[in-house]
Amino acid sequence: MAKNEITCDEILKELKAKQYRPVYYLMGEEAYYIDLIADYIEDKVLTETEKEFNLTVIYGNETDIASVINAAKRYPMMSEHQVIIVKEAQNLSNIDELSYYLQRPQPSTILVFCHKHGALDRRKKIAGEIEKVGILFESKKLKEGQLPAFISAYMKRKGTDIEPKAAAMLADFVGADLSRLTGEMEKLVITLPHGKTRVTPEQVEQNIGISKDYNNFELRNALVEKDVLKANKIIRYFEDNPKTNPIQMTLAVLFGFFSNLMLAYYAPEKSEQGIAAFLGLKSPWQAREYQTAMRKYTGVKTMRIIGEIRQTDAKSKGVGNSSLSDGELLRELIFFILH
C-alpha cells in the first residue's frame, strides 16, 4: 500500500470523530470494506429524523452524473448535513464531469460513491481531484495468508478470542469472501456458550459444518509432515462428502500453499520473521509450516507439484479427462505430492 493511501480503519476513525469529507469515492474488488464505510455513513451520520429529508440513496444505472451533482448542491433541511450515496457507481457514465463539482463542493453535503468490482484509473485527473478534497479509497482483496489475522482481529473487536486452528479452518473453508466470512463469524459469536469467550475448532465443527479432523487445513498439515496415513484418511473423507469438500476448494488451498512455498525458497532470510515478511504473512508463526515443508520438499519437486495441481484443476473441469472422478483425481494428486 502506498504511503498516502488511507485505510478503512482510518476512515472509520475519522467518521466516528465526526470529521466528514465532502466526497468519498469507495472502489475496488473487495465489496466488504466499501459496504462497511458506506453503511456507517448511512446509519450514523444523520439521526432517524434527519434521514427523512436528508438521506438519498441512488443507483448508478438509474441516474447520471449531472443529476448526482444537482442533488449534491442542495442544502440540507433542518440538519447540518445531507448524505447522498451512489451505489453501483461503476455504472455511471461521464464520471469526469464530477470535476466541476469538486472545484467547489457543497460543505454540508457528504457524497459517497460505491464503485465495486473495479477501480478508477489513478492516473486520471479526476482521481487526483477527488483526493484533494475528499477520500479516494481502494478496497483490495485479502490474500489467503492474511485471512487468519483478519479473523482474529474481527473476533477481538467482538470481545471474543479464537484459537489459531479454528481461524485457519474458517479461512480454508470460506476463503477470501469477507462478507460471507464475517457472516460465519457472527454465527460463531452468537452460538458461543454462556460465559465462554474463546472459539474452538469444536465449535467451528458444530456450527459451520467443517470437520475439525478432516478439512483442508489438516490435509495441508499432513502434506507438510508427509504423513501418508493421515492424508489418505482425509481425502477418503472428502470423497465420501463431496458437497462439503469440493475439489476446487482443496486445489485452491494446495495451489496457494505450494506457490508460497516456491516463493519462500527465494526469501533472503529463512527465519520465521524473514519468511513471514517476504510472503506478506501477518504473523511469524504462519511461516513455520513453510520452514518445515522446505525440509521435506525440494524446489524442483515443489515446482512439479504446482504443475500437477494445475493439471488436476484442468482435468476436474473436463479438460483431457473423460472418466476419472474428483475423488480419483485428488487421490492421484496426493500420491504425486507425497512420493
Side-chain angles (χ1 to χ4, degrees), residues 213 215-234 258 289 296-297 334 337-338:
D213 297 314
N215 55 69
N216 288 314
F217 173 72
E218 291 296 337
L219 176 61
R220 191 176 66 198
N221 282 349
L223 296 179
V224 168
E225 298 292 343
K226 285 205 166 183
D227 188 332
V228 176
L229 179 61
K230 181 178 177 181
N232 279 289
K233 281 183 178 179
I234 293 170
F258 283 101
E289 278 189 321
K296 304 278 187 177
Y297 298 91
I334 298 306
I337 292 172
L338 290 171

Side-chain angles (χ1 to χ4, degrees), residues 144 147 168-177 180 184 208-211 214-217 219-220 238 241-257 309 312-313 316-317 326 330 333:
E144 295 292 333
L147 293 177
M169 287 168 63
L170 265 181
D172 286 341
F173 182 73
V174 179
D177 182 342
R180 182 181 166 210
E184 297 290 3
I208 308 299
I210 316 167
S211 168
Y214 301 101
N215 55 69
N216 288 314
F217 173 72
L219 176 61
R220 191 176 66 198
F238 284 3
N241 299 273
K243 289 185 178 179
T244 53
N245 301 279
I247 190 172
Q248 296 302 326
M249 187 183 297
T250 300
L251 293 177
V253 169
L254 297 181
F255 183 79
F257 177 78
I309 293 171
T312 303
D313 179 58
S316 72
K317 295 169 182 172
D326 285 353
L330 190 56
L333 173 63

